[in-house]
Amino acid sequence: MSKTICLNADIGELPGINGRALDRAILDVVTRCNIASGGHAGDQESMTATVKAAYARGVLIGAHPSYPDREDFGRKPMSMSREALTSTLLQQVRALAAITRERGASLSHLKPHGALYNIAARDEGISRTIVDVTIQSRIPLLIGPPNSCLSAAAREACLDYLAEGFADRAYEVSGDLTPRTVQGAVLETDSERIQQAVQIASTRQATARTGETIDLPVRTICVHGDTPGALASALAIRDALNAAGIEITAVEP
């Protein structure tokens, strides 16, 4: 196999036994996971269970901090001072790091969630805050959107960066994710998700919502754990990538 791609998943976001079972199944597919760290979802119990499951499968563990917004699942922007944002992000990351250390492991990466992720793509101040939190937490790698303020801030700080694409999200011609308020922002069928994942992994390009082909220079693809049909899509994507001769790997920095 001459091409490689990392598959990652946002997990630890769904409550109860069913949520835990889905997370475990998705962990059998991906090579990195981003665990909700208490800002938009997750608590001590869910973080402990998810870390344990990931560690048992050899999946690299990452923090998935967000705005402190459980009501709106971290998907709405919040006005916060840099000090307040830094404080809440460090609190989230440190809570997960402590649990991870108990398993004899460490956090391999950080990926911001939701509105924080989207704003960091275009806001220099927010992106620097996230980079600073990553460095203060001694996390060696940051995951985020390609060609963004966040990638630039990581580069300036000499922090390893893994540019990310999405299997289940539509793109605008600008390369930005289609806002969830726009119809068609989430790809709903397995065939759509498979086609996009294989296209990204094979060509480092994607087809925008309006039909144009756009460059998407990424090294990891996210399969959301909370998207309806996530497990079936993840399994189908893995099989399609293998069939296309694309190796699924963790992509170490």
Side-chain angles (χ1 to χ4, degrees):
M1 294 184 180
S2 60
K3 292 184 179 294
T4 62
I5 197 71
C6 166
L7 287 184
N8 76 83
D10 302 341
I11 60 175
E13 297 176 329
L14 298 175
I17 295 175
N18 291 338
R20 304 286 188 276
L22 177 60
D23 282 346
R24 289 194 298 271
I26 288 179
L27 284 168
D28 288 329
V29 178
V30 301
T31 49
R32 290 182 180 270
C33 67
N34 323 301
I35 300 177
S37 309
H40 66 289
D43 54 24
Q44 185 80 8
E45 181 182 355
S46 68
M47 286 188 281
T48 300
T50 311
V51 165
K52 180 179 179 180
Y55 184 76
R57 289 161 175 79
V59 175
L60 296 180
I61 298 167
H64 198 37
S66 69
Y67 285 122
D69 173 28
R70 298 179 78 88
E71 181 177 355
D72 292 308
F73 202 68
R75 287 179 174 160
K76 289 187 177 181
M78 294 184 69
S79 179
M80 301 181 70
S81 68
R82 179 166 185 169
E83 292 75 17
L85 180 58
T86 298
S87 177
T88 187
L89 295 180
L90 284 173
Q91 182 179 12
Q92 293 175 51
V93 172
R94 287 168 178 168
L96 182 64
I99 293 169
T100 306
R101 282 195 300 272
E102 291 175 359
R103 305 299 305 181
S106 60
L107 295 180
S108 69
H109 64 272
L110 183 149
K111 174 186 166 181
H113 166 81
L116 185 63
Y117 182 102
N118 294 329
I119 293 171
R122 59 183 185 273
D123 187 291
E124 292 182 1
I126 297 294
S127 64
R128 290 195 199 100
T129 298
I130 293 170
V131 167
D132 288 347
V133 167
T134 306
I135 293 172
Q136 287 184 51
S137 303
R138 298 185 178 180
I139 296 174
L141 179 69
L142 183 60
I143 293 179
N147 302 322
S148 62
C149 284
L150 190 59
S151 63
R155 183 171 59 252
E156 290 171 5
C158 298
L159 176 65
D160 284 315
Y161 191 83
L162 198 60
E164 176 184 48
F166 290 84
D168 59 359
R169 291 294 309 278
Y171 283 91
E172 298 298 293
V173 70
S174 63
D176 295 326
L177 291 172
T178 299
R180 286 182 179 268
T181 54
V182 175
Q183 185 175 2
V186 177
L187 305 185
E188 296 183 351
T189 67
D190 284 347
S191 60
E192 290 176 303
R193 298 169 184 175
I194 293 166
Q195 182 178 359
Q196 180 150 292
V198 173
Q199 181 185 16
I200 292 172
S202 300
T203 67
R204 297 319 193 248
Q205 294 180 322
T207 302
R209 179 175 58 90
T210 46
E212 299 90 345
T213 299
I214 60 172
D215 290 330
L216 205 67
V218 306
R219 293 193 294 154
T220 187
I221 297 174
C222 177
V223 289
H224 280 116
D226 65 329
T227 300
L231 177 57
S233 289
L235 292 168
I237 287 168
R238 179 192 62 186
D239 293 344
L241 290 171
N242 286 333
I246 299 167
E247 181 184 4
I248 298 170
T249 177
V251 186
E252 297 286 357

